[in-house]
Structures are given as C-alpha cells and as structure tokens.
Amino acid sequence: MSYFSHIVLGFVMAFLSLTPPGMLNMTAVRTAIEKNRNEGIWFALGAALVVIPQAFIALVFARFFGENPHIVERLKLGGIFVLFLLSVVFFIQARKKFKGEGAKRKGKSFWTGMLMSVMNMLAIPFYLVLSSVLENKGLLNTEQPFINLFVSGVFLGAFTLFFVYVQFARVIQKRAQFIARNINYILSALFLVLAILTLFKLLK
C-alpha cells in the first residue's frame, strides 16, 4: 500500500461522509450568507481541524478492536439501540425546515466551527467502523506513518467539502429545505434497515 493511496482514501471517506446536508455544512452555508465568504472559510477550517483528532482516535481504536473481536460482539446490542435512535433522530430532523436566514451577528467563526465539530458525536464511530472494514479488506494500514497520512487526507477532504458548501452557499440556500428533508428521510430509513438487519443477525 502506497503512502499516496492512504491520503486519497482519507480524502474520499471524509468528503463523501460529509456530503449530505447536516449540522456542520449547513452552518458553513449560513455563516457565509449571514456574514461573508471569508467567515465561512474560517468556519470550515475550524470544523475540519477537529476531524484530525477524531479520525486519529478512531484509527487507534480500530486496530484495538481488530485484535479483540470478542469486544465487538458485546457491542452489537448497544449498536442496535444506537441505530434505532439515529433512525428516529433523522426522521425528526426530516420533519423540520431548514432556515437559511437569521440574525446577522459577528463572531469568531473559526472557534465556532471547532466547537460545533466537537459536538458531532457521530464522527469517531463513523471512522471507527469504516477504518475497521477497510483494514480487514487490506486497503488500510493502521500503523505509522500510514495513520498520519490517512488523517491528513481526512482533513483535506473535510475542508474541501466545507469549502464547496461555502462557495455555493447562495445556491444551496435556495434548495436546502428540499435537499435536507429528503436526505434525512433516506438516512432515517437506512439506519432503521441496518438496525433490523443487525438485530436479525444477533438473534440467529
């Protein structure tokens, strides 16, 4: 496995995982609209930087779980509950309307981006699961310097995605309500199906 492939892998994983409208990218859009493009970019940088320790922690634990598969078995029941919970959360989000307008306030967007990214509790579990799968398939090496290269790719992918949202903020604002409503319904259904399949496997 080459060094470059790990950077690309991290980039693709981060970019695709953040593509659906969510808390971070929609806030980046709102920041660019309410303040200005530069503030949106500062928000994007702050949010992307937090992804670095999140992905790093996930890769370290991915190796640990890979060496202790019995722990993964014990976590399956808890995982089912989380999947059902996520299904409900996204369904509730789908019932809400995204508002692109709001009070125009000045603030330090960089720190706001970092804080909101820290609040993204799904980041570490996401990278944990996907990195475990990629490692089992021989696509990811969870040793140094590959971890650092992968994490670097994750940062670049996250920042690029947020930057794209900022660049097209005005266009996204007009369509955000339609996109967010439908993507949340899709995610809700997806998590529900995963929960049912996981429960079925556990009961077999």
Side-chain angles (χ1 to χ4, degrees), residues 57-73 75 127-129 131-137 140 142:
I57 292 172
L59 261 67
V60 172
F61 276 95
R63 186 177 183 185
F64 172 78
F65 284 128
E67 296 173 352
N68 298 272
H70 61 282
I71 298 179
V72 178
E73 294 297 323
L75 293 175
Y127 288 112
L128 173 62
V129 173
S131 59
S132 297
V133 172
L134 291 173
E135 184 181 26
N136 289 334
K137 292 182 176 296
L140 179 66
T142 54

Short mmCIF file of all heavy atoms in Angstrom, two decimals, residues 57-73 75 127-129 131-137 140 142:
data_model
loop_
_atom_site.label_atom_id
_atom_site.label_comp_id
_atom_site.label_asym_id
_atom_site.label_seq_id
_atom_site.Cartn_x
_atom_site.Cartn_y
_atom_site.Cartn_z
N ILE A 57 -8.08 9.11 16.65
CA ILE A 57 -8.58 8.26 17.75
C ILE A 57 -9.28 7.03 17.18
O ILE A 57 -9.10 5.91 17.67
CB ILE A 57 -9.53 9.06 18.65
CG1 ILE A 57 -8.76 10.14 19.41
CG2 ILE A 57 -10.25 8.13 19.63
CD1 ILE A 57 -9.64 11.10 20.17
N ALA A 58 -10.09 7.24 16.15
CA ALA A 58 -10.83 6.13 15.55
C ALA A 58 -9.89 5.07 14.99
O ALA A 58 -10.13 3.86 15.16
CB ALA A 58 -11.75 6.65 14.44
N LEU A 59 -8.82 5.47 14.34
CA LEU A 59 -7.88 4.50 13.76
C LEU A 59 -7.14 3.72 14.84
O LEU A 59 -6.89 2.52 14.68
CB LEU A 59 -6.88 5.21 12.84
CG LEU A 59 -7.21 5.11 11.35
CD1 LEU A 59 -8.49 5.89 11.04
CD2 LEU A 59 -6.06 5.62 10.50
N VAL A 60 -6.80 4.38 15.92
CA VAL A 60 -6.13 3.69 17.03
C VAL A 60 -7.05 2.62 17.61
O VAL A 60 -6.63 1.49 17.86
CB VAL A 60 -5.70 4.69 18.11
CG1 VAL A 60 -5.20 3.95 19.35
CG2 VAL A 60 -4.62 5.63 17.58
N PHE A 61 -8.32 2.97 17.82
CA PHE A 61 -9.26 2.02 18.39
C PHE A 61 -9.65 0.95 17.37
O PHE A 61 -10.02 -0.16 17.76
CB PHE A 61 -10.50 2.74 18.90
CG PHE A 61 -10.33 3.30 20.28
CD1 PHE A 61 -9.95 4.60 20.47
CD2 PHE A 61 -10.53 2.50 21.40
CE1 PHE A 61 -9.78 5.13 21.74
CE2 PHE A 61 -10.36 3.01 22.67
CZ PHE A 61 -9.99 4.33 22.85
N ALA A 62 -9.59 1.28 16.09
CA ALA A 62 -9.91 0.28 15.06
C ALA A 62 -8.93 -0.88 15.14
O ALA A 62 -9.31 -2.05 15.03
CB ALA A 62 -9.85 0.93 13.67
N ARG A 63 -7.68 -0.56 15.35
CA ARG A 63 -6.67 -1.61 15.48
C ARG A 63 -6.92 -2.44 16.75
O ARG A 63 -6.78 -3.66 16.75
CB ARG A 63 -5.28 -0.99 15.53
CG ARG A 63 -4.16 -2.00 15.51
CD ARG A 63 -2.81 -1.32 15.48
NE ARG A 63 -1.73 -2.28 15.39
CZ ARG A 63 -0.45 -1.97 15.44
NH1 ARG A 63 -0.10 -0.70 15.54
NH2 ARG A 63 0.47 -2.90 15.36
N PHE A 64 -7.30 -1.75 17.83
CA PHE A 64 -7.57 -2.44 19.10
C PHE A 64 -8.73 -3.42 18.96
O PHE A 64 -8.65 -4.56 19.39
CB PHE A 64 -7.88 -1.42 20.19
CG PHE A 64 -8.35 -2.03 21.48
CD1 PHE A 64 -7.45 -2.60 22.36
CD2 PHE A 64 -9.70 -2.03 21.81
CE1 PHE A 64 -7.88 -3.18 23.55
CE2 PHE A 64 -10.13 -2.59 22.99
CZ PHE A 64 -9.21 -3.16 23.87
N PHE A 65 -9.81 -2.96 18.32
CA PHE A 65 -10.97 -3.83 18.13
C PHE A 65 -10.66 -4.95 17.16
O PHE A 65 -11.22 -6.05 17.27
CB PHE A 65 -12.17 -3.01 17.64
CG PHE A 65 -12.81 -2.19 18.72
CD1 PHE A 65 -13.04 -0.84 18.54
CD2 PHE A 65 -13.19 -2.77 19.92
CE1 PHE A 65 -13.63 -0.08 19.53
CE2 PHE A 65 -13.78 -2.01 20.92
CZ PHE A 65 -13.99 -0.67 20.73
N GLY A 66 -9.79 -4.67 16.20
CA GLY A 66 -9.40 -5.72 15.26
C GLY A 66 -8.65 -6.84 15.95
O GLY A 66 -8.75 -8.01 15.57
N GLU A 67 -7.90 -6.51 17.00
CA GLU A 67 -7.14 -7.50 17.75
C GLU A 67 -7.98 -8.15 18.86
O GLU A 67 -7.57 -9.13 19.45
CB GLU A 67 -5.90 -6.86 18.36
CG GLU A 67 -4.92 -6.35 17.31
CD GLU A 67 -3.78 -5.55 17.92
OE1 GLU A 67 -3.85 -5.27 19.15
OE2 GLU A 67 -2.82 -5.21 17.19
N ASN A 68 -9.15 -7.56 19.15
CA ASN A 68 -10.04 -8.10 20.19
C ASN A 68 -11.46 -8.19 19.65
O ASN A 68 -12.35 -7.43 20.06
CB ASN A 68 -10.00 -7.19 21.42
CG ASN A 68 -8.62 -7.11 22.05
OD1 ASN A 68 -8.24 -7.91 22.89
ND2 ASN A 68 -7.87 -6.09 21.63
N PRO A 69 -11.71 -9.11 18.74
CA PRO A 69 -13.04 -9.21 18.10
C PRO A 69 -14.16 -9.54 19.07
O PRO A 69 -15.33 -9.24 18.80
CB PRO A 69 -12.85 -10.34 17.08
CG PRO A 69 -11.69 -11.13 17.60
CD PRO A 69 -10.77 -10.13 18.23
N HIS A 70 -13.85 -10.16 20.23
CA HIS A 70 -14.90 -10.51 21.18
C HIS A 70 -15.56 -9.27 21.77
O HIS A 70 -16.74 -9.30 22.15
CB HIS A 70 -14.32 -11.36 22.32
CG HIS A 70 -13.27 -10.67 23.11
ND1 HIS A 70 -11.96 -10.52 22.65
CD2 HIS A 70 -13.31 -10.05 24.33
CE1 HIS A 70 -11.26 -9.87 23.56
NE2 HIS A 70 -12.06 -9.57 24.58
N ILE A 71 -14.83 -8.17 21.83
CA ILE A 71 -15.39 -6.92 22.34
C ILE A 71 -16.43 -6.38 21.37
O ILE A 71 -17.46 -5.83 21.77
CB ILE A 71 -14.28 -5.88 22.57
CG1 ILE A 71 -13.30 -6.39 23.63
CG2 ILE A 71 -14.88 -4.54 22.99
CD1 ILE A 71 -12.16 -5.42 23.91
N VAL A 72 -16.16 -6.55 20.08
CA VAL A 72 -17.10 -6.09 19.06
C VAL A 72 -18.44 -6.82 19.20
O VAL A 72 -19.51 -6.21 19.06
CB VAL A 72 -16.52 -6.33 17.65
CG1 VAL A 72 -17.53 -5.89 16.58
CG2 VAL A 72 -15.22 -5.57 17.49
N GLU A 73 -18.38 -8.11 19.50
CA GLU A 73 -19.60 -8.90 19.67
C GLU A 73 -20.44 -8.35 20.81
O GLU A 73 -21.67 -8.29 20.73
CB GLU A 73 -19.25 -10.37 19.92
CG GLU A 73 -18.60 -11.06 18.74
CD GLU A 73 -19.52 -11.12 17.54
OE1 GLU A 73 -20.74 -11.32 17.74
OE2 GLU A 73 -19.03 -10.98 16.41
N LEU A 75 -20.60 -5.35 21.78
CA LEU A 75 -21.11 -4.02 21.46
C LEU A 75 -22.26 -4.05 20.45
O LEU A 75 -22.88 -3.01 20.18
CB LEU A 75 -19.98 -3.16 20.88
CG LEU A 75 -18.86 -2.80 21.86
CD1 LEU A 75 -17.75 -2.06 21.11
CD2 LEU A 75 -19.37 -1.95 23.00
N TYR A 127 -15.69 6.82 11.64
CA TYR A 127 -14.34 6.48 11.20
C TYR A 127 -13.87 5.17 11.82
O TYR A 127 -13.07 4.45 11.21
CB TYR A 127 -13.37 7.61 11.53
CG TYR A 127 -13.56 8.82 10.66
CD1 TYR A 127 -14.05 10.01 11.17
CD2 TYR A 127 -13.26 8.76 9.30
CE1 TYR A 127 -14.23 11.12 10.35
CE2 TYR A 127 -13.44 9.86 8.48
CZ TYR A 127 -13.93 11.03 9.01
OH TYR A 127 -14.13 12.12 8.20
N LEU A 128 -14.36 4.86 12.99
CA LEU A 128 -14.01 3.59 13.63
C LEU A 128 -14.52 2.41 12.81
O LEU A 128 -13.77 1.48 12.51
CB LEU A 128 -14.59 3.54 15.05
CG LEU A 128 -14.46 2.22 15.80
CD1 LEU A 128 -12.99 1.86 16.01
CD2 LEU A 128 -15.17 2.29 17.14
N VAL A 129 -15.79 2.46 12.45
CA VAL A 129 -16.40 1.37 11.69
C VAL A 129 -15.77 1.24 10.31
O VAL A 129 -15.37 0.15 9.89
CB VAL A 129 -17.92 1.58 11.58
CG1 VAL A 129 -18.53 0.53 10.64
CG2 VAL A 129 -18.57 1.49 12.94
N SER A 131 -12.91 2.43 9.10
CA SER A 131 -11.48 2.08 9.10
C SER A 131 -11.28 0.61 9.43
O SER A 131 -10.37 -0.04 8.90
CB SER A 131 -10.71 2.96 10.08
OG SER A 131 -11.22 2.82 11.39
N SER A 132 -12.15 0.05 10.29
CA SER A 132 -12.07 -1.37 10.61
C SER A 132 -12.37 -2.22 9.37
O SER A 132 -11.68 -3.21 9.10
CB SER A 132 -13.05 -1.72 11.73
OG SER A 132 -12.73 -1.04 12.92
N VAL A 133 -13.38 -1.79 8.63
CA VAL A 133 -13.75 -2.51 7.41
C VAL A 133 -12.63 -2.43 6.38
O VAL A 133 -12.25 -3.44 5.76
CB VAL A 133 -15.05 -1.94 6.82
CG1 VAL A 133 -15.33 -2.55 5.45
CG2 VAL A 133 -16.22 -2.19 7.76
N LEU A 134 -12.08 -1.24 6.20
CA LEU A 134 -11.01 -1.05 5.21
C LEU A 134 -9.76 -1.83 5.59
O LEU A 134 -9.06 -2.37 4.73
CB LEU A 134 -10.69 0.43 5.09
CG LEU A 134 -11.77 1.30 4.45
CD1 LEU A 134 -11.41 2.77 4.55
CD2 LEU A 134 -11.99 0.91 2.99
N GLU A 135 -9.47 -1.89 6.89
CA GLU A 135 -8.30 -2.64 7.33
C GLU A 135 -8.48 -4.13 7.09
O GLU A 135 -7.55 -4.82 6.65
CB GLU A 135 -8.03 -2.38 8.82
CG GLU A 135 -6.75 -3.05 9.32
CD GLU A 135 -6.51 -2.81 10.79
OE1 GLU A 135 -7.48 -2.57 11.52
OE2 GLU A 135 -5.33 -2.88 11.21
N ASN A 136 -9.68 -4.63 7.37
CA ASN A 136 -9.96 -6.06 7.15
C ASN A 136 -9.87 -6.43 5.68
O ASN A 136 -9.55 -7.57 5.33
CB ASN A 136 -11.35 -6.41 7.69
CG ASN A 136 -11.40 -6.38 9.21
OD1 ASN A 136 -10.38 -6.58 9.87
ND2 ASN A 136 -12.57 -6.13 9.77
N LYS A 137 -10.16 -5.47 4.80
CA LYS A 137 -10.08 -5.72 3.36
C LYS A 137 -8.67 -5.47 2.81
O LYS A 137 -8.43 -5.62 1.62
CB LYS A 137 -11.09 -4.85 2.62
CG LYS A 137 -12.54 -5.22 2.88
CD LYS A 137 -13.48 -4.35 2.08
CE LYS A 137 -14.93 -4.77 2.27
NZ LYS A 137 -15.18 -6.14 1.76
N LEU A 140 -6.32 -0.52 4.20
CA LEU A 140 -5.84 0.49 5.14
C LEU A 140 -4.83 -0.13 6.10
O LEU A 140 -5.06 -1.22 6.64
CB LEU A 140 -7.01 1.07 5.94
CG LEU A 140 -6.68 2.12 6.99
CD1 LEU A 140 -6.13 3.38 6.33
CD2 LEU A 140 -7.94 2.47 7.80
N THR A 142 -3.08 0.46 9.65
CA THR A 142 -3.23 1.27 10.86
C THR A 142 -1.93 1.34 11.65
O THR A 142 -1.92 1.23 12.88
CB THR A 142 -4.36 0.70 11.75
OG1 THR A 142 -4.11 -0.69 12.02
CG2 THR A 142 -5.71 0.85 11.07
#
